[in-house]
Amino acid sequence: MNIRQELAKKIKLDNVTVDELVQSFTIPPSIEMGDFALPCFAFAKAQRRNPNEIASEIASSLVNDELIERAEVVNGYVNIYLNKSTVTDKILSNFAETKELKPLNIGDGKIVCIDFSSVNVAKNPHIGHFSSTVIGACIARLYEKLGFEVKRLNYLGDYGTQFGKLVCAYIKWGNREDVQKRGIEALQELYIRVNAECEKDEALLQECRDTFKKMEEHDPFVMELFEWFKDLSIAEVKKNLFEPLKLSFDDWRGEQYYSQFTDDVLQQLTSSGLAKESQGALVVDLEQYGLGVAVVRQSNGTTLYLTRDIATAINRYGEYAFDVCIYITGVEQKLHFAQLFKILELMGNGWADKLLHLVNGRLRLPDGKLSSRKGNQALAKDIIAVATQKACDIIKERSPDKAFDVDKAQQIGLGALIFSALKSGMSKDSVFVLEDAINFDGQTGPYLMYTHARCASVLRKAPVLTTDISNYGIDSDASWELVGCLNKYQDILLEAYQQKEPSVIARYLIELAGHFNKFYHDNRILSDDEASTKKNLTITRFVKYVLNDGLAILGISSPEEM
Ligand code: ARG
């Protein structure tokens, strides 16, 4: 139930719309001052009356209302105290009738492309990729939940001299069996070696550049090797990252695919006069926008990441006709995207204002933990394995005689990791301390999963109630706070969407679980009193529904038992 809306509809003020009233309500600083307050100062001018007079008139029109216990006038405000019993009744009976909330459909089928977790060939995903993937996947699910049609795009990093280096290294030192056996690890070793040697050996570097040139010319021998590396890399990220996260992409076309369109882009940039030659290179001067000078073609004729992104955006718009296109990357690409969007706009693409860059924070481990060989970051697959192992240990300790379920342990380990990546805010980095993140009693993913399992267990024990009781009433502050919190869920989803911020949902679920656990401890949910039992069960079912729904948006599973 939208309480603000219901209240606003009851207030009649000349020249003030229901929407304006909805936006005007505030939450008083303390509950003693009411559940909502309506400041009347903004209406005073149009009404040609002082705020207190307006407030008094509103307050007296609200007496004898079923939803309102009383309304008081204080210094130009109307303080509204809800009738807890009838409001709870409305909220719970709405839910009880349908067993779910009416879906929010602000997206109305609009198409949203989300470009995220774009990995590079021959790169084993590490913990930083883990967090950016989890964030992107959450944003995608949030949009879907709100009725948008989402296309998940993985813009594979598969173009550039670095891949010439990889192929060159394989031709020189590689071994087919070894790569077949060890996959991406063998490739990464080759890549590290060739980079080290190129530093000292200019001729080798030139050879690598030539190899990349052959790739650009689609030389079959070089391309067959590279396609093989690409397949290996994709298979590895899927296995180590996307499969555990149950994530799939709609589009895997990457830089190499879109490079076929860069000639057109350069042509357009030149003929429109946007790009100018500068010391053999082709550049777009964006100084007047505070965005520096963007190079779109190097003096040796090669294109850049930026050039390919221009071509990609244009082609994607042609193909998807998106209403919004979101890119999610680390903060280091901020300037890149600002330049990209500006250039697309200056090229006359009216849709450039549909593009949005979001910065994701990174999860990292405390110093020295798992940061494997050569200062590399911990691999996503290793950190998932460690978290799973820890969850196994905890489960065995808590219930030694229950049949052990490895899949559940992995879900709990992932729940701990995912929640850590999401809870502190989209663009903030956070440190992952396993012991804290997996604590069933802390502000963690497993705590939410555990609360969900607790609801499920209560409902399993519930008797079948035959009496039809429509009056739910309210008997304690704990249940009033809990019901009020449940009622906020859809507003929370909207806020998360407006702010593009998964942590809004994460924090809300912690608050909800806290209220529920207090309610669980303070009340006997199942008692001989049918009316109270029915009310408690409806609340429990509602909490379970919201936890399950919210956790699903975060990408965390909701176990029935834990
Ligand atoms: N592959 C890039 C990287 O690893 C991210 C790609 C982001 N998407 C884009 N369209 N530029 O940093």
Side-chain angles (χ1 to χ4, degrees), residues 115 118-120 155 157 255 305 309 316 327 329 333 336-337:
D115 172 323
S118 301
V119 286
N120 292 340
Y155 188 58
E255 292 187 53
Y305 181 51
D309 253 330
R316 280 180 180 165
Y327 299 84
T329 73
Q333 299 199 30
H336 166 78
F337 283 102

Side-chain angles (χ1 to χ4, degrees), residues 149 152 467:
E149 185 180 333
R152 293 166 175 78
T467 340

Side-chain angles (χ1 to χ4, degrees), residues 432-464:
F432 179 71
V433 181
L434 180 57
E435 291 70 25
D436 297 345
I438 210 158
N439 184 350
F440 283 25
D441 302 315
Q443 304 204 341
T444 66
Y447 165 68
L448 297 175
M449 298 167 86
Y450 185 73
T451 307
H452 179 273
R454 170 171 275 171
C455 294
S457 142
V458 169
L459 295 172
R460 273 197 301 276
K461 290 187 207 124
V464 181

Side-chain angles (χ1 to χ4, degrees), residues 111 316-323:
I111 294 176
R316 280 180 180 165
Y317 187 71
E319 185 169 337
Y320 292 112
F322 49 73
D323 295 282

Side-chain angles (χ1 to χ4, degrees), residues 15 17 22 50 113 130 227 269 340 363 466 477 500 539:
N15 304 324
T17 64
V22 167
N50 77 40
C113 289
F130 179 88
E227 289 299 328
L269 285 170
L340 171 65
L363 204 58
T466 46
D477 280 348
K500 317 283 175 249
I539 293 180

Side-chain angles (χ1 to χ4, degrees), residues 407-508:
D407 189 47
K408 185 169 290 166
Q410 191 189 50
Q411 293 312 319
I412 296 173
L414 280 170
L417 275 161
I418 295 173
F419 195 81
S420 303
L422 298 176
K423 71 165 186 214
S424 48
M426 176 84 188
S427 55
K428 296 218 182 72
D429 288 346
S430 40
V431 178
F432 179 71
V433 181
L434 180 57
E435 291 70 25
D436 297 345
I438 210 158
N439 184 350
F440 283 25
D441 302 315
Q443 304 204 341
T444 66
Y447 165 68
L448 297 175
M449 298 167 86
Y450 185 73
T451 307
H452 179 273
R454 170 171 275 171
C455 294
S457 142
V458 169
L459 295 172
R460 273 197 301 276
K461 290 187 207 124
V464 181
L465 293 174
T466 46
T467 340
D468 182 34
I469 304 148
S470 59
N471 190 356
Y472 291 92
I474 199 82
D475 45 24
S476 77
D477 280 348
S479 35
W480 169 243
E481 281 186 349
L482 176 56
V483 173
C485 187
L486 279 169
N487 194 46
K488 273 198 315 204
Y489 179 54
Q490 294 195 322
D491 280 341
I492 291 290
L493 294 183
L494 285 176
E495 192 180 323
Y497 158 74
Q498 273 151 0
Q499 294 184 25
K500 317 283 175 249
E501 183 51 273
S503 68
V504 170
I505 303 172
R507 272 186 278 115
Y508 165 79

